[in-house]
Amino acid sequence: MSSRDKWAAEDVPDQTGRVAVITGSNTGIGYHTAEILAGHGALVVLAVRDLEKGNAAAQRIYRASPQARVEVQELDLSSLASVRQAAEALGAAHPRIDLLINNAGVMYTPKQRTVDGFEMQFGVNHLGHFALTGLLLPRMLRVKRSRVVTVSSMAHRIMAAIHFDDLQWEHGYNRIAAYGQSKLANLMFTYELQRRLAAKRRSTIAVAAHPGTAHTELARHLPPFLRPADRLLTPLVVQSAAMGALPTVRAATDPEVTGGQYYGPSGIGEQRGYPKLVDASKQAHDVELQQRLWAVSEELTGITFPV
């Protein structure tokens, strides 16, 4: 057992009997989160866009933990129709869901639109997860101490604002600022969801996490001018995806976690290290902006929450 200041996978309590749905779990942070939870007894559903890659990830988990229980569910967060179909399938297969981890994401993409016409980063990272959570929440509310864990990023501080006058970046586009907006939205969503859950005296909680600077496939769209710095800094500050998954895993499983908390690495600048409780930006805690974003998100997705 590791000490509390070096919380690691071996600190995860027994997850037997829990059902965990993890988006984007065929690779990177999501995969390692799934591997740890499955290794500790949870039934893990890999909710992924590419079924072939999802099945391959499931086989890797089985090799590491032969007794693991893993399922694969097709989910394309860039399509609200796919989100609805996945939620319906998940609800039919699992009347109760203990844990939803909103992990999938895209970063620094060239200007693109989702199937529904949303800017890709905002549409996938925030709106897709907003819709999925709203559709699955009825299955979670019946489970005592169920959790919604949403993965944000240090980027919620970088050029980040919720551009209510142009959420879809129709007038110009900055891929870094657009990513920052989506990750700020993840935190605002978590805080507003937690406030609504608490107001209804629900035991379900909403928590956020970020991986620090971790080696994943997200960086494939890194702007060219940042690539030399990335190559230089990677050996110095970037940690493995397995370490980057630990804040998410702690947020999902530590019995001491409470709603509305935010977990990230403990090292300098929260770039690497074991997970600890961290602070979000002042802007992320703006209640008026959180509520405004919630209302807009309901309007754009057509999803209302049972809280």
Side-chain angles (χ1 to χ4, degrees):
M1 195 76 164
S2 65
S3 63
R4 299 303 291 175
D5 61 347
K6 290 189 176 181
W7 195 98
E10 55 265 30
D11 290 306
V12 175
D14 184 22
Q15 299 295 296
T16 301
R18 299 186 86 195
V19 175
V21 177
I22 309 173
T23 68
S25 40
N26 62 281
T27 188
I29 303 298
Y31 171 77
H32 288 285
T33 300
E35 183 180 44
I36 292 170
L37 292 178
H40 285 78
L43 189 165
V44 174
V45 181
L46 309 180
V48 299
R49 185 173 56 85
D50 188 316
L51 286 177
E52 184 177 348
K53 291 181 179 179
N55 287 320
Q59 291 304 314
R60 293 200 303 275
I61 292 174
Y62 286 134
R63 286 195 292 271
S65 302
Q67 303 305 314
R69 301 173 65 202
V70 185
E71 299 177 2
V72 180
Q73 171 62 51
E74 185 174 12
L75 168 66
D76 183 352
L77 288 162
S78 70
S79 164
L80 290 177
S82 176
V83 172
R84 289 182 179 275
Q85 290 167 2
E88 184 176 348
L90 288 166
H94 304 287
R96 52 169 284 163
I97 295 173
D98 301 74
L99 184 58
L100 171 62
I101 299 181
N102 294 320
N103 162 83
V106 292
M107 183 175 77
Y108 299 163
T109 57
K111 189 173 183 178
Q112 300 176 48
R113 300 286 175 193
T114 68
V115 172
D116 304 287
F118 307 133
E119 185 276 316
M120 184 64 72
Q121 297 183 88
F122 188 68
V124 169
N125 299 353
H126 170 60
L127 292 175
H129 282 127
F130 180 92
L132 181 66
T133 304
L135 292 167
L136 293 183
L137 198 58
R139 265 75 180 179
M140 304 186 71
L141 293 177
R142 65 187 65 166
V143 182
K144 188 176 181 180
R145 295 291 294 173
S146 57
R147 300 184 189 188
V148 177
V149 179
T150 300
V151 180
S152 184
S153 167
M154 292 187 295
H156 87 275
R157 300 177 182 274
I158 302 172
M159 299 176 65
I162 306 297
H163 298 269
F164 289 106
D165 58 339
D166 189 15
L167 280 174
Q168 313 307 336
W169 296 85
E170 295 173 339
H171 307 292
Y173 180 66
N174 182 307
R175 67 175 76 186
I176 297 174
Y179 182 65
Q181 172 179 259
S182 73
K183 294 287 101 179
L184 177 59
N186 288 154
L187 279 166
M188 289 183 166
F189 164 64
T190 295
Y191 295 140
E192 178 62 18
L193 176 57
Q194 175 58 32
R195 185 162 39 252
R196 288 166 175 256
L197 290 166
K200 294 292 186 179
R201 299 181 182 274
R202 300 290 193 172
S203 68
T204 301
I205 61 173
V207 192
H210 81 81
T213 306
H215 184 67
T216 72
E217 293 182 4
L218 269 182
R220 61 184 176 274
H221 293 299
L222 200 66
F225 72 90
L226 288 178
R227 289 173 187 167
D230 180 63
R231 286 192 293 269
L232 177 66
L233 294 175
T234 291
L236 302 176
V237 300
V238 176
Q239 62 183 355
S240 68
M243 279 295 294
L246 290 180
T248 299
V249 177
R250 184 169 190 177
T253 65
D254 188 338
E256 296 182 9
V257 169
T258 60
Q261 290 184 327
Y262 183 36
Y263 285 83
S266 58
I268 296 174
E270 298 174 20
Q271 295 190 73
R272 60 192 298 165
Y274 292 95
K276 71 168 186 176
L277 196 61
V278 297
D279 294 321
S281 68
K282 182 179 179 180
Q283 184 178 201
H285 288 286
D286 188 313
V287 174
E288 183 179 348
L289 291 181
Q290 292 165 10
Q291 295 175 341
R292 186 179 178 188
L293 175 65
W294 188 283
V296 170
S297 301
E298 285 188 330
E299 179 181 350
L300 292 174
T301 62
I303 301 296
T304 56
F305 281 58
V307 291

